[in-house]
Amino acid sequence: TDVLPPLKLEGSWRVTFPPDSGAPPEIMLEELISLHKHPDERIKYFSGTATYHKTFNLTEEYFRNDRRLYLDLGKVENIAEVVLNGKALGILWKSPFIIDITDAAKIGENKLEIKVTNVWVNRLIGDEQHPPEYEYKPRGFRWMGRGIKKIPEWFTRGEPKPPSKRAVSYTH
């Protein structure tokens, strides 16, 4: 009988990305959406850890009668680390993505960070949207491998690899 209705963290979220990840340093999401639904390909196919930032307020009512406060993240792909007001609360890696925030929450303004790490395959899917950088030998015997047909000129000249639309260099 003493349970309050859920407080929904609606509105915009600031999302930051690590440097050299192919994504911009930060974006604003007007509403919380999965990054793989974002129209910008640098974000849609991002792989790594993105940090979601949100500030919200709690009134004194939330702290009456020794109430416990829980954060329900809903569906997460794939791992989430929760930090509230600078206090690391734990890492969630399976459903249900719910964590007790009571000891870090306070009356008034609360600063939430959720570090979400997705899988590398997301970046590989993005890279496959662009043509291959090199021409490859046809697959032969297993011991022969499947190397590129010609060593790139930038490599033979000792120059750095030129920029590519693909974020990951790999053979397939």
Side-chain angles (χ1 to χ4, degrees):
T1 61
D2 194 35
V3 176
L4 295 175
L7 173 66
K8 292 187 177 186
L9 300 182
E10 297 177 317
S12 62
W13 288 74
R14 183 171 65 94
V15 182
T16 57
F17 300 92
D20 300 322
S21 65
E26 77 175 50
I27 61 168
M28 289 298 292
L29 294 176
E30 294 309 313
E31 63 178 330
L32 195 56
I33 62 166
S34 178
L35 294 183
H36 80 273
K37 294 181 179 177
H38 198 279
D40 185 333
E41 287 192 5
R42 299 172 302 162
I43 297 160
K44 181 177 185 174
Y45 298 117
F46 167 77
S47 180
T49 303
T51 305
Y52 293 73
H53 304 264
K54 180 79 169 172
T55 301
F56 64 96
N57 290 300
L58 293 173
T59 62
E60 189 177 313
E61 181 180 28
Y62 285 92
F63 298 89
R64 289 190 192 134
N65 304 326
D66 294 324
R67 285 188 173 118
R68 303 301 299 175
L69 303 174
Y70 295 91
L71 177 66
D72 183 348
L73 300 180
K75 184 177 180 184
V76 174
E77 293 178 8
N78 292 90
I79 298 171
E81 179 181 0
V82 179
V83 177
L84 183 62
N85 298 321
K87 183 175 182 181
L89 299 179
I91 296 172
L92 303 171
W93 58 275
K94 65 181 183 77
S95 186
F97 291 94
I98 299 172
I99 193 162
D100 187 332
I101 63 169
T102 307
D103 293 338
K106 62 184 183 180
I107 297 171
E109 185 177 88
N110 287 269
K111 294 184 179 184
L112 175 64
E113 290 182 19
I114 305 169
K115 300 173 184 178
V116 178
T117 304
N118 67 7
V119 292
W120 185 46
V121 73
N122 198 52
R123 180 67 257 162
L124 296 177
I125 292 167
D127 282 355
E128 282 300 310
Q129 309 304 308
H130 304 289
E133 296 177 324
Y134 310 109
E135 202 174 334
Y136 292 91
K137 297 176 189 172
R139 186 173 302 277
F141 291 106
R142 192 170 284 223
W143 55 269
M144 289 175 64
R146 199 184 158 218
I148 57 176
K149 283 187 174 182
K150 182 181 176 202
I151 301 293
E153 289 187 31
W154 61 264
F155 183 81
T156 58
R157 291 193 303 260
E159 298 172 355
K161 183 177 181 281
S164 169
K165 289 191 176 210
R166 289 177 173 247
V168 181
S169 292
Y170 57 93
T171 59
H172 45 285

